């Protein structure tokens, strides 16, 4: 009698041939689940302001001549301690071919984040079942595309700069994990032209080669390149906007490092972020130590879990991300203990979280498929949910970009400076024809634009303050003057206004701004369920006797200035 032995699925990993499981419904569902945060973030990017943010303008100035021509030589500097060769080039290309579009850079960040997820997925060993790998990828997607990382997507210049270094660095690590050292070295050089957070890639490449048992030159070369390259950069590259190093204090360093690693878990409670980051740090250090220990054991003494080759890439990535967090701690600790919880560091926190989840699953060999998937997906979903508050903080900054675009159009330099745009960049932006100096610039006010005529002499004045039924409004920022950021609220028939304008005494439209800003205090005072009643605006510097006007259902309403308290 002949019997056929059926393969058994135990708590341990399935055999190699079982790991190559065919496409099945759990894998399909997990792939669809992984797409959810990606699609969600694409929608968020498309909703972001058209005008770029903050450092975009300074770096664009380095990448351009005063007339807007590309100037590669200007990018060979350390901007706030970071290289900007790749980011500056991308910013210039964005200004030249996409009109200086913030959403265009945001979509680039989405692509680069997908590259990071794909590179990490490629390092998952084939001994893992397809379901387990799909579960890890779903977790990676929720961590990388978390709302807590909104600053790097909604403010595309930030994510572009970070990932122009980190994305190629992680690709280099994935290549080294596969033994493709020469190509990994080339990609690592590119990474180091993108951002300072890519610098630890050399330590990662050397460690990966050692864990794999590669030839000695593969271990030594990354170290030599790092030393020589660092020395050349230090002695030859000028610095622009560098932040001075703080006086060393171990407690402050650990606070910033932990806050950076745990940023995604809390942006409102510092101690919670530091605790999560400290736990991540411990898990990664233990994981690194276990893999390094397995490499030092003689092959005959290694157990089933001692597979340094399988874990080499993830160990290198863990070292890289820990060193990057330490670099941030050393360079930024002087700004405060909680600086590590700034939204721009969320990408470091996300990659660190991916490393934690992967190292736990890889080193816990007896972890069954279902618990592994639950751990990975739960970590991603919980982190994604906790990022909502940070996402709201970023969205709240969007209206001021609308005001800034109008201020640039009006040459309102004081307002531009207050809204953190370098006024010296205006000739470059005009030379490139980038937004807001494009033909499609608009106040989004039913065809009324800057320079239009609008007679509001007969327009009703909204009653000031609460207690006046369903309508009211105020200019709360003081007297209406040119080249100043104005602010207040307006409600017409229990609804917020459609747009806001500034009109001078000759009926010329000399300014405008953004509406739809949430004002919970107004809703409470007016006993209304309408929250989007706030507005911000700016007027031309030389505007004569300007007044603020809101438009609702095609009708203008004038706003009184709130009395001094």
């Amino acid at each position: 009698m002949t019997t056929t032995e059926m393969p058994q699925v135990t708590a341990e990993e399935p055999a190699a041939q079982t790991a190559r499981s065919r496409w099945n419904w759990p894998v399909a569902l997990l792939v669809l689940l992984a797409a959810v945060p990606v699609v969600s973030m694409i929608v968020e990017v498309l909703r972001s302001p058209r005008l770029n943010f903050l450092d975009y303008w300074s770096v664009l100035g380095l990448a351009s001549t005063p007339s807007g021509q590309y100037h590669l030589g200007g990018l060979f500097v350390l901007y706030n301690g970071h290289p900007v060769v790749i980011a500056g080039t991308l910013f210039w290309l964005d200004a030249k071919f996409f009109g200086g579009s913030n959403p265009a850079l945001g979509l680039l960040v989405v692509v680069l984040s997908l590259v990071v997820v794909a590179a990490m997925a490629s390092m998952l060993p084939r001994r893992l079942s397809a379901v387990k790998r799909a579960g890890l990828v779903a977790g990676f997607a929720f961590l990388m595309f978390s709302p807590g990382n909104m600053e790097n997507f909604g403010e595309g210049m930030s994510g572009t700069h970070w990932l122009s270094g980190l994305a190629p660095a992680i690709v280099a690590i994935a290549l080294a994990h596969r033994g493709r050292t020469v190509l990994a070295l080339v990609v690592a050089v590119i990474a180091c032209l993108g951002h300072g957070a890519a610098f630890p890639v050399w330590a990662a490449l050397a460690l990966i080669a050692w864990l794999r048992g590669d030839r000695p030159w593969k271990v030594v070369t990354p170290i030599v390149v790092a030393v020589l390259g660092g020395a050349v950069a230090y002695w030859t590259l000028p610095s622009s906007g560098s932040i001075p190093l703080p006086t060393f204090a171990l407690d402050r360093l650990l606070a910033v490092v932990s806050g950076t690693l745990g940023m995604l878990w809390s942006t409102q409670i510092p101690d919670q972020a530091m605790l999560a980051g400290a736990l991540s740090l411990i898990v990664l250090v233990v994981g690194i130590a276990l893999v390094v220990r397995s490499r030092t054991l003689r092959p005959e003494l290694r157990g089933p879990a001692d597979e340094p080759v399988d874990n080499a890439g993830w160990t290198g990535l863990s070292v890289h991300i820990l060193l990057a967090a330490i670099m941030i701690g050393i360079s930024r600790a002087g700004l405060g203990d909680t600086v590590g919880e700034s939204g721009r560091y969320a990408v470091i926190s996300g990659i660190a979280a991916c490393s934690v989840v992967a190292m736990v699953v890889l080193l816990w060999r007896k972890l069954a498929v279902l618990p592994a998937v639950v751990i990975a997906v739960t970590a991603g979903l919980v982190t994604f949910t906790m990022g909502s508050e940070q996402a709201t903080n970023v969205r709240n900054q969007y209206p001021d970009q609308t005001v800034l675009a109008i201020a640039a159009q009006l040459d309102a330099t004081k307002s531009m400076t207050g809204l953190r745009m370098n006024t010296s960049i205006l000739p470059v932006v005009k030379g490139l024809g980038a937004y807001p100096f494009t033909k499609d610039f608009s106040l989004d006010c039913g065809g009324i634009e800057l320079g239009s005529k609008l007679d509001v002499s007969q327009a009703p004045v909204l009653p000031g303050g609460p207690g006046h039924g369903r309508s009211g409004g105020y200019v709360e920022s003081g007297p209406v003057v040119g080249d100043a950021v104005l602010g207040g609220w307006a409600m017409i028939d229990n609804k917020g206004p459609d747009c806001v304008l500034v009109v001078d005494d000759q009926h010329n439209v000399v300014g405008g701004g953004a509406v739809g800003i949430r004002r919970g205090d107004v809703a409470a005072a007016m006993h209304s369920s309408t929250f989007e009643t706030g507005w911000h605006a700016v007027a031309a510097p030389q505007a004569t006797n300007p007044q603020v006007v809101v438009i609702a259902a095609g009708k203008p309403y004038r706003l009184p200035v709130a009395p001094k308290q």
Side-chain angles (χ1 to χ4, degrees):
M1 180 178 178
T2 302
T3 60
T4 302
E5 184 178 351
M6 300 296 292
Q8 298 181 353
V9 179
T10 65
E12 297 183 1
E13 297 295 330
Q17 60 269 26
T18 307
R20 300 188 187 96
S21 58
R22 65 178 63 90
W23 187 267
N24 50 41
W25 67 265
V27 173
L29 289 177
L30 288 168
V31 170
L32 288 175
L33 182 63
V36 171
V38 180
V39 173
S40 172
M41 194 56 72
I42 291 174
V43 172
E44 290 287 352
V45 166
L46 295 176
R47 289 174 177 169
S48 65
R50 183 168 176 182
L51 190 72
N52 272 292
F53 289 77
L54 298 174
D55 291 342
Y56 176 89
W57 307 108
S58 298
V59 176
L60 181 62
L62 296 174
S64 307
T65 64
S67 61
Q69 299 298 312
Y70 181 57
H71 179 46
L72 177 60
L75 294 174
F76 283 93
V77 299
L78 294 178
Y79 181 80
N80 286 336
H82 297 285
V84 290
V85 176
I86 295 178
T89 301
L90 292 171
F91 292 176
W92 185 86
L93 291 172
D94 174 56
K96 179 68 175 180
F97 297 105
F98 296 95
S101 169
N102 174 62
L105 289 181
L107 292 174
L108 175 60
V109 176
V110 171
V111 172
L112 292 174
S113 298
L114 287 172
V115 169
V116 170
V117 172
M120 292 190 294
S122 73
M123 294 191 295
L124 297 174
R126 302 301 294 178
R127 63 178 173 80
L128 299 180
S129 70
V131 175
K132 189 177 285 189
R133 281 184 276 121
L136 284 167
V137 171
F140 298 162
F142 275 98
L143 291 167
M144 289 301 299
F145 291 89
S146 167
N149 196 17
M150 181 71 78
E151 182 171 322
N152 288 312
F153 289 96
E155 300 178 14
M157 64 89 198
S158 180
T160 297
H161 191 193
W162 280 97
L163 288 173
S164 64
L166 284 172
I170 296 173
V171 170
I173 288 172
L175 289 169
H177 178 71
R178 299 292 181 188
R180 304 182 67 179
T181 304
V182 174
L183 186 55
L185 293 171
V186 173
V187 177
V189 171
I190 296 172
C192 289
L193 295 174
H195 195 277
F199 293 167
V201 71
W202 303 108
L205 296 183
L207 177 61
I208 291 169
W210 178 74
L211 290 173
R212 285 173 45 83
D214 289 341
R215 295 178 180 178
W217 74 265
K218 294 187 176 185
V219 179
V220 175
T221 300
I223 299 173
V224 173
V225 173
V227 172
L228 294 179
V232 170
Y234 179 81
W235 292 108
T236 63
L237 293 183
S239 182
S240 174
S242 181
I243 298 176
L245 292 178
T247 302
F248 178 79
L250 182 60
D251 59 322
R252 175 160 286 181
L253 173 64
L254 290 175
V256 176
V257 171
S258 298
T260 301
L261 294 174
M263 182 268 162
L264 281 181
W265 282 278
S266 175
T267 56
Q268 304 301 313
I269 308 175
D271 289 347
Q272 185 173 312
M274 291 179 189
L275 175 61
L279 292 175
S280 296
L281 189 153
I282 291 170
V283 171
L284 292 179
V285 169
V286 170
I288 293 166
L290 289 174
V291 177
V292 170
R293 173 186 173 277
S294 71
R295 173 65 174 83
T296 62
L297 294 173
R298 296 196 305 273
E300 63 270 18
L301 296 179
R302 294 175 189 168
D306 297 320
E307 297 186 19
V309 175
D310 266 3
N311 304 324
W314 281 102
T315 307
L317 179 57
S318 298
V319 167
H320 181 149
I321 212 66
L322 286 178
L323 291 176
I326 291 170
M327 287 170 57
I328 292 170
I330 293 173
S331 63
R332 300 298 190 263
L335 301 177
D337 290 352
T338 61
V339 69
E341 290 147 62
S342 301
R344 60 187 177 275
Y345 299 135
V347 64
I348 295 291
S349 182
I351 296 171
C354 291
S355 296
V356 168
V357 173
M359 291 292 272
V360 168
V361 173
L362 291 176
L363 296 177
W364 192 352
R365 286 291 297 262
K366 293 186 178 181
L367 185 65
V369 173
L370 181 59
V373 171
V374 170
I375 288 173
V377 174
T378 300
L381 285 172
V382 170
T383 305
F384 189 90
T385 303
M386 293 181 70
S388 179
E389 188 66 27
Q390 174 63 11
T392 299
N393 293 340
V394 174
R395 294 186 193 107
N396 287 342
Q397 299 175 38
Y398 290 173
D400 282 345
Q401 292 304 104
T402 301
V403 179
L404 178 56
I406 298 170
Q409 272 275 351
L410 296 170
D411 282 327
T413 55
K414 292 181 181 178
S415 298
M416 289 174 61
T417 301
L419 294 170
R420 297 184 292 179
M421 181 178 181
N422 187 349
T423 58
S424 64
I425 197 64
L426 283 179
V428 174
V429 181
K430 292 178 181 178
L432 287 166
Y435 190 79
F437 303 103
T438 52
K439 294 180 180 179
D440 61 345
F441 172 82
S442 175
L443 296 180
D444 292 326
C445 201
I448 304 173
E449 302 295 345
L450 294 174
S452 296
K453 288 285 186 179
L454 183 65
D455 188 351
V456 296
S457 58
Q458 302 302 314
V461 178
L462 287 177
H468 297 282
R470 295 162 55 87
S471 299
Y474 264 144
V475 177
E476 295 177 325
S477 51
V480 181
V481 296
D483 199 1
V485 177
L486 311 169
W489 63 275
M491 181 185 292
I492 302 94
D493 292 331
N494 205 33
K495 295 180 180 179
D498 298 324
C499 57
V500 59
L501 304 168
V502 184
V503 181
D504 68 9
D505 55 5
Q506 299 299 312
H507 312 305
N508 297 308
V509 176
V510 294
V515 296
I517 300 171
R518 289 182 64 85
R519 289 291 301 266
D521 58 329
V522 171
M526 297 289 284
H527 306 288
S528 170
S529 59
T530 301
F531 287 83
E532 291 77 17
T533 57
W535 57 265
H536 290 166
V538 64
Q542 305 303 322
T544 56
N545 300 318
Q547 58 181 323
V548 176
V549 176
V550 294
I551 306 294
K555 298 180 180 179
Y557 298 85
R558 292 179 286 171
L559 291 182
V561 176
K564 293 183 179 181
Q565 300 296 325

